[in-house]
Amino acid sequence: MVDLSTLYQLSNARTRSISPENYTGEPGKGGMCPLEKGFAKNAARELGTGWKVNPFIVIEPKSTFEIADIDGPGIINHIWLTPTKRWRNTILRIYWDGQENPSVECPIGDFFCMGWNEYAQISSLAVCVNPGSAFNCYWQMPFKSHCRMTLENIAEEPVVIYYQIDYTLDELPDEVAYFHAQFRRTNPLPYKSDYTILDGVEGKGQYVGTYMAWGTNNNGWWGEGEIKFFMDGDTDYPTICGTGTEDYFCGSYDFEDPVNHDKYLAFTTPYSGFHPITPNTLYKSQFRFGMYRWHIADPIRFEKSLRVTIQALGWREGGRYLPLQDDIASVAYWYQTLPTAKFPPLPDKDYLEVI
């Protein structure tokens, strides 16, 4: 781990970077694409090799492109990516140390906290989203023997992807946990059902973050529900139980403007954030929200198993809670020992679609 307090220290780590201008990350191999093979060959036709001949890739419909194939040991330190088309139609998968099952499987928009296919600026320690659609991930991702990353285009048309993966090759300590991220969506949530953020985790590790794309199907406040962490054999009742949705995402009192009480207020901080997708009118049906909460300072550590759920809860007449049937998607982020239990199948393209 490198921070401002250790930047002056020398290291034996070797810095590498993968992009369409250097698919392998090998030293001295960047910008070598021959003009005739480059995706930007027309723009560079008067300049030739070395002049931004291949800065992006085109992924054809119903096909998968391998964006990283790295022998370790090493650590992924930063991923920058900017996509086109519908962001839920491009699926990111990451495989550690030769595993058959991916440890990361997620639409790229949701992975970078952009589940609604609309830009919203984010400034956090783990994920930054910058103009115009620049997705940045700073989760550190160690691997001992191998890292493989792919992008699958499940759409009917090609997608253009610019990307860069920055990493170091270096020895790792024996006690290493591997980065994981899992996407889920339920639309609509069945009446009186909890929404499952994560289930089926087996191994030792720590839960480090939650992103949710929440779409309301009712008027009124929608965030009374509690998040629950069932750890290491918990059954009916969890070890950790929150006090409300906005409370878990480090807000309070409905995320509303405390002065005029007429709209939601967006915020983005190192550890948590909330952004309403316009139009922004308080308590109206069919509104959409993005929320993130990073457990960087307070990781939730488990020894053998973990399940995470959240309630969708509003208000009905008589001062009673209303179980909601909202459109909810999420990404759970955690580190754990290998092997990775097989994830539930991703929904098909039509079920993933944001309409």
Side-chain angles (χ1 to χ4, degrees), residues 127-140:
V127 174
C128 293
V129 179
N130 306 321
S133 59
F135 297 170
N136 294 271
C137 167
Y138 294 94
W139 293 112
Q140 289 210 316

Side-chain angles (χ1 to χ4, degrees), residues 16-18 22-30 167:
R16 299 289 184 262
S17 184
I18 288 175
N22 187 350
Y23 286 128
T24 65
E26 294 178 79
K29 299 293 185 179
Y167 63 101

Side-chain angles (χ1 to χ4, degrees), residues 307-321:
R307 177 166 62 98
V308 186
T309 67
I310 194 168
Q311 299 160 333
L313 210 56
W315 292 99
R316 70 193 329 159
E317 63 181 357
R320 296 174 295 149
Y321 290 135

